[in-house]
Amino acid sequence: MSNRSETPVTVIGLGLMGQALAAAFLKAGHPTTVWNRTAAKADQLVSEGASLAPSIAAALKASPLTVLCVTDYEAVHALLGASDVELDGTTLVNLTSGDSAQAREAASWAERRGARYLDGALMAIPPVIGTADAVILHSGPRADFEAHEPALEALGTLTYLGADPGLASLYDVAGLAMMWSVLNAWLQGTALLRTAGVDAVTYAPFARLMAAGVADWLPGYAEQIDKGSFPAEVAALETDARSMAHLIEESEAAGVNAELPKLFKAMADRAIAAGHGGEQYPVLIEEFAKPSTD
C-alpha cells in the first residue's frame, strides 16, 4: 500500500459535500487538485493547499484517483464526455447521488472510455466527512477498491459492498426507507400523544427504546425471509392486523391523520387474504416485493 501523503487525489464538484471531501484529503496529507464550474468555490481550499485545475482534462491528468461529487449523473456524463477529456488509465470514484441503473450504466460507460470505476454513496453530512462517523459505501471491482482504499479512508469509515456497481445506490435508498419509516412512525405516535398533553420530548425516550427493540428483531426476521419460511414464533400476522385496526381507530378518534396505519393494514390485509394470516410479520416481504398498483 502506498503512503497516503504520496497519493494525489482530484475532487471534481465543490458543493458543500465536495468541499468537505477535498478538505478531508488535504487534512490527511494528499496533494489535492480540485475543479468546479464556479472556480470561486475553490478559494478556501486553495488557501489551504489545494491546486485549482484550469479544466476538467487537467484535473483528471493531475491524479490517478478522481472523486466526483456533482449534481447528478447527467452532469457526470456532460463533464467527462467532452472530446478533450481523457479517461484512459484513471480511476473514478463517483459519489454523486443517483439510482442503481444510472450507476451500472456509468460504470459501463467509463470502462468503455478506459477508466476504472467505483460507485459510492455518502451516508453522512458534510461536517462529519473525514471522521469515523462518516460512513461511505462503495461498490465495483474489489481490486480497484483495495488499490485506493488507503486514500479513500481519509474520508471516513469505508464499507465495500460487492462487485455490482449499483449496490451502493441500492443500499443508499434502502437506508432512506428505514430512516423515513422510523421518523414517520415516531411522528404518528407523537401526534397521538400530544392529544393527551404529552409533549414530544417526553415521548422520545420511550420511542427510542421501541425502535431499538424492533431493531433487535431484524436478524431473526432476516433469516425467515432468506429461508422463505415464516412460523409465528412471536405473533401471527392476523394478530398484528387487529392491533393495526386499534391504531387506526385511536388515530381517527383523536382527530389524527390515519393514512400511515391504514397503509400498514392494507398491506397486511392483502397478505392475510392470500392465506398468510397465521404466519409471522416478515411474510409481508411478499407484498413489498410486488410492484405497486398505482
Side-chain angles (χ1 to χ4, degrees):
M1 291 186 179
S2 61
N3 188 301
R4 282 184 184 177
S5 64
E6 298 174 352
T7 307
V9 179
T10 288
V11 176
I12 293 176
L14 298 177
L16 291 177
M17 184 61 80
Q19 290 179 43
L21 297 172
F25 282 128
L26 283 169
K27 185 176 180 180
H30 295 278
T32 303
T33 299
V34 295
W35 183 90
N36 192 72
R37 198 182 297 275
T38 303
K41 288 189 176 182
D43 289 349
Q44 180 63 35
L45 291 165
V46 170
S47 73
E48 294 170 0
S51 299
L52 176 62
S55 66
I56 288 279
L60 289 163
K61 288 179 181 178
S63 312
L65 175 65
T66 293
V67 174
L68 300 159
C69 188
V70 295
T71 308
D72 51 32
Y73 279 73
E74 184 177 342
V76 171
H77 288 286
L79 292 171
L80 301 187
S83 58
D84 64 333
V85 173
E86 177 61 58
L87 297 184
D88 191 38
T90 194
T91 296
L92 302 175
V93 178
N94 189 9
L95 300 181
T96 300
S97 295
D99 62 40
S100 59
Q102 290 175 315
R104 293 178 184 121
E105 192 280 328
S108 296
W109 177 82
E111 288 162 7
R112 290 195 301 271
R113 299 278 304 279
R116 298 182 180 278
Y117 182 94
L118 292 166
D119 210 83
L122 294 157
M123 313 301 286
I125 56 176
V128 301
I129 294 296
T131 74
D133 291 334
V135 175
I136 304 170
L137 310 179
H138 292 278
S139 55
R142 178 180 286 275
D144 296 334
F145 171 75
E146 290 179 348
H148 294 286
E149 185 177 4
L152 293 170
E153 283 178 340
L155 303 180
T157 301
L158 307 184
T159 299
Y160 175 74
L161 300 171
D164 176 359
L167 282 174
S169 292
L170 280 176
Y171 267 77
D172 185 22
V173 294
L176 292 175
M178 284 291 298
M179 179 184 73
W180 288 323
S181 296
V182 171
L183 288 174
N184 286 339
W186 173 67
L187 291 170
Q188 179 79 36
T190 299
L192 271 170
L193 286 166
R194 288 205 312 176
T195 66
V198 180
D199 59 25
V201 170
T202 300
Y203 173 50
F206 175 81
R208 186 175 182 179
L209 287 173
M210 287 292 296
V214 171
D216 287 341
W217 302 346
L218 298 184
Y221 280 8
E223 289 183 8
Q224 289 193 340
I225 290 171
D226 289 343
K227 291 176 181 176
S229 176
F230 308 95
E233 298 166 348
V234 177
L237 181 61
E238 57 194 9
T239 301
D240 287 315
R242 287 194 289 271
S243 296
M244 293 172 187
H246 297 327
L247 174 56
I248 294 167
E249 292 161 6
E250 188 75 61
S251 297
E252 291 178 336
V256 168
N257 190 301
E259 290 175 78
L260 187 61
K262 284 181 177 178
L263 173 61
F264 299 159
K265 191 167 186 301
M267 297 190 78
D269 287 345
R270 290 199 296 270
I272 291 168
H276 300 297
E279 297 176 89
Q280 196 156 263
Y281 197 84
V283 74
L284 278 178
I285 189 65
E286 305 298 338
E287 294 301 315
F288 280 97
K290 296 174 182 176
S292 56
T293 56
D294 49 37

